[in-house]
Amino acid sequence: MNLGRHSITSTTPVHIFDARFDPDCQIFTTSTPAGFAVYRTSPLKLLRKRELTGGTLTAVVPFHTSNILFLVGGGRSPLYPPNKVVFWDDALGTEVAELEFRERVRGLACRRGWLAVALRRRVVVFQIGEQVTRYAEWDTCDNPKGLLAMATAAYSTLLTIAGRQSGHVQLVHLPPCAPPVPIGPPPSLPPRKPPPPLAKHPVSIIAAHETALTTLSVPASGRLLATTSSRGTLVRVWDSLSGKLVREFRRGTDKADIYGVAFRPDEQELCVWSDKGTVHIFTLVASGPSNRQSTFSPLTPFLPLPKYFDSEWSYAQYRIPSQSSHITFSAPTSRSPTEDVPDEERCVVGWIKATPSNELSRGETQEYQLVALTYVGGWYRLSLPQHRSSSRTSSPANSVSARTPVKQRRTSRDKGKEKDQEKEGKDSRECVLQEFRRFGRWDGWG
């Protein structure tokens, strides 16, 4: 029998320049070398796409669920000058306005009627209505990542930007955010009243870290603020009104580049993701699951132990699988020296509400789940593990426990039981992959 020669060739992954959710995580936008697209978050569905030629985009920011998108050119061949923010009306399929600066645009944040633009050493805020008007600007320290975050709920006011000193955060209060315009028949309940004015003047500066900031995150209400630094080991949560430290979580012991932090919409949990490829989930409330702590943490009030032993570790996590190219038996594919290489570990994570998929949960209300988007076109929907009763477990970096030596010899059966229990405890901390799909090219685009 003469069989034709077959070879296993490598599969080039999709290269995502930018992926980000809208404030409600109902949709997300992506930009690739072919253009940009808008997807429904869950269930995953391509809503619209625009194939653009002549250059690439480094950011596509949705203006909530309207037809307006903010585009910023970037990459090796920018479609627009990197010092411009282009207003794109997708209903018309063309640019309708633009903002031009004297330097490169570093970051964007928006809410209903407002847009904040981060430059290298300042942040400029614009009010968007029938016309685009410049509202105010604030000086910052060196901010190459363009860090800023804006509360988006109705009547919220908070805008957080980098401070004038490294590791500091400025808290700016803008005019209250307008409530969304109701769609369809009028609601039966009366409209929500705006909250009363603050009794005291809120704090304006928080000395969050000793090293440079890497992320700024706020929930929709703006009551809390999460910060991380270039060390990448700690996540600190602050009260935005008093400026007091509410919680401090430990991602790990080794240095990492934290990509982002996302609050659950009800502000009971938050998730953290970094270049390690792992998503960590921490709880912010006493009820429900408990964050892990070292076995030595009960001794910290009585012994001068390092602060590390009193740290809170994530109660759940998920390791995003690597999507490297398949092994090839043929000659390796030549890659252009100017071609951008996708970062397999880079991702963005958001919270959604979904119906539990197991049979025991039929008929129950929806639960919060996670959606992770990788920069090689992977879409992961994750459910959280079941609540655990025990909170005093060893941290990942603390393998030594304060046990009293036992003289009895352990049998092989006892050792096997211990291994099974350890494996069961580790599995109970893992998020469950409910659904995996691809986006960017496998939906027929490109």
Side-chain angles (χ1 to χ4, degrees):
M1 182 180 295
N2 185 13
L3 297 177
R5 183 179 178 182
H6 298 275
S7 63
I8 302 176
T9 58
S10 61
T11 302
T12 304
V14 170
H15 189 178
I16 305 296
F17 289 120
D18 179 70
R20 63 184 69 201
F21 295 98
D22 77 319
D24 301 325
C25 283
Q26 296 181 359
I27 62 173
F28 68 90
T29 57
T30 63
S31 61
T32 74
F36 70 88
V38 181
Y39 289 85
R40 184 176 61 194
T41 303
S42 181
L44 179 64
K45 181 182 179 181
L46 177 64
L47 299 179
R48 53 185 182 268
K49 61 182 179 181
R50 291 290 178 180
E51 297 183 2
L52 304 177
T53 58
T56 56
L57 302 171
T58 190
V60 180
V61 182
F63 192 37
H64 283 262
T65 52
S66 66
N67 292 322
I68 300 297
L69 300 168
F70 301 116
L71 309 182
V72 179
R76 298 184 184 272
S77 178
L79 179 63
Y80 303 107
N83 65 327
K84 289 185 178 182
V85 178
V86 176
F87 292 52
W88 176 277
D89 190 332
D90 204 60
L92 303 176
T94 185
E95 306 94 341
V96 293
E98 67 178 31
L99 298 173
E100 185 175 1
F101 304 89
R102 295 182 179 179
E103 57 180 305
R104 173 186 160 195
V105 175
R106 303 283 176 166
L108 299 177
C110 62
R111 72 177 200 193
R112 294 182 187 88
W114 296 84
L115 172 67
V117 182
L119 306 175
R120 186 75 185 235
R121 291 185 175 272
R122 62 194 176 107
V123 171
V124 188
V125 175
F126 297 88
Q127 190 170 7
I128 302 176
E130 295 295 332
Q131 296 181 346
V132 179
T133 58
R134 190 189 191 100
Y135 177 77
E137 69 175 66
W138 293 265
D139 294 331
T140 67
C141 65
D142 188 28
N143 186 19
K145 293 188 175 182
L147 301 179
L148 75 168
M150 185 180 290
T152 58
Y155 307 112
S156 61
T157 62
L158 183 63
L159 167 67
T160 59
I161 60 178
R164 297 187 179 183
Q165 298 183 30
S166 180
H168 290 198
V169 183
Q170 296 185 63
L171 290 86
V172 180
H173 288 273
L174 303 174
C177 179
V181 178
I183 301 176
S188 56
L189 298 176
R192 176 186 171 188
K193 296 182 179 180
L198 300 177
K200 60 180 181 178
H201 190 70
V203 67
S204 59
I205 297 290
I206 294 179
H209 299 269
E210 296 179 357
T211 56
L213 299 172
T214 53
T215 65
L216 290 175
S217 304
V218 297
S221 66
R223 294 192 309 108
L224 300 174
L225 163 67
T227 62
T228 62
S229 71
S230 57
R231 292 180 181 176
T233 56
L234 297 178
V235 181
R236 290 173 176 162
V237 181
W238 309 84
D239 187 298
S240 63
L241 296 180
S242 64
K244 294 182 179 180
L245 181 64
V246 178
R247 302 288 288 271
E248 182 178 88
F249 303 124
R250 181 170 292 275
R251 180 211 58 84
T253 56
D254 54 341
K255 187 176 180 180
D257 186 5
I258 295 180
Y259 291 143
V261 179
F263 286 90
R264 211 170 83 172
D266 59 0
E267 301 177 12
Q268 294 191 10
E269 294 180 337
L270 61 80
C271 63
V272 182
W273 60 97
S274 67
D275 61 347
K276 301 297 182 181
T278 304
V279 181
H280 297 270
I281 298 94
F282 300 88
T283 181
L284 293 168
V285 295
S287 59
S290 301
N291 298 322
R292 294 176 295 140
Q293 289 185 285
S294 169
T295 52
F296 293 105
S297 59
L299 303 178
T300 52
F302 311 103
L303 297 176
L305 295 176
K307 192 177 180 180
Y308 166 84
F309 292 101
D310 197 29
S311 300
E312 291 188 65
W313 302 73
S314 60
Y315 84 89
Q317 62 186 29
Y318 182 79
R319 171 72 181 177
I320 296 179
S322 176
Q323 298 183 18
S324 300
S325 300
H326 299 294
I327 298 176
T328 176
F329 294 135
S330 59
T333 305
S334 59
R335 186 185 296 273
S336 172
T338 61
E339 182 180 355
D340 293 319
V341 180
D343 187 355
E344 294 187 1
E345 302 294 346
R346 194 167 186 85
C347 65
V348 61
V349 184
W351 293 89
I352 63 168
K353 267 194 171 184
T355 305
S357 59
N358 54 19
E359 296 182 359
L360 298 178
S361 301
R362 289 182 179 176
E364 295 184 2
T365 58
Q366 291 185 323
E367 64 178 11
Y368 283 104
Q369 295 183 356
L370 295 171
V371 169
L373 310 173
T374 67
Y375 277 49
V376 289
W379 180 91
Y380 299 80
R381 182 168 63 87
L382 311 172
S383 63
L384 303 178
Q386 297 297 324
H387 293 178
R388 299 181 298 114
S389 58
S390 175
S391 63
R392 299 292 181 181
T393 60
S394 299
S395 62
N398 182 21
S399 59
V400 181
S401 59
R403 293 181 180 176
T404 304
V406 182
K407 296 182 179 180
Q408 297 179 354
R409 179 181 298 178
R410 293 181 300 172
T411 63
S412 59
R413 180 179 299 178
D414 295 334
K415 294 180 180 179
K417 288 182 178 180
E418 290 182 1
K419 290 182 179 180
D420 293 340
Q421 292 176 357
E422 183 180 356
K423 182 178 180 181
E424 182 180 355
K426 185 176 181 180
D427 292 341
S428 64
R429 299 193 300 266
E430 291 291 328
C431 295
V432 181
L433 178 61
Q434 298 292 343
E435 187 179 3
F436 169 75
R437 295 180 64 183
R438 297 186 183 273
F439 69 95
R441 183 184 62 188
W442 289 274
D443 52 12
W445 180 31

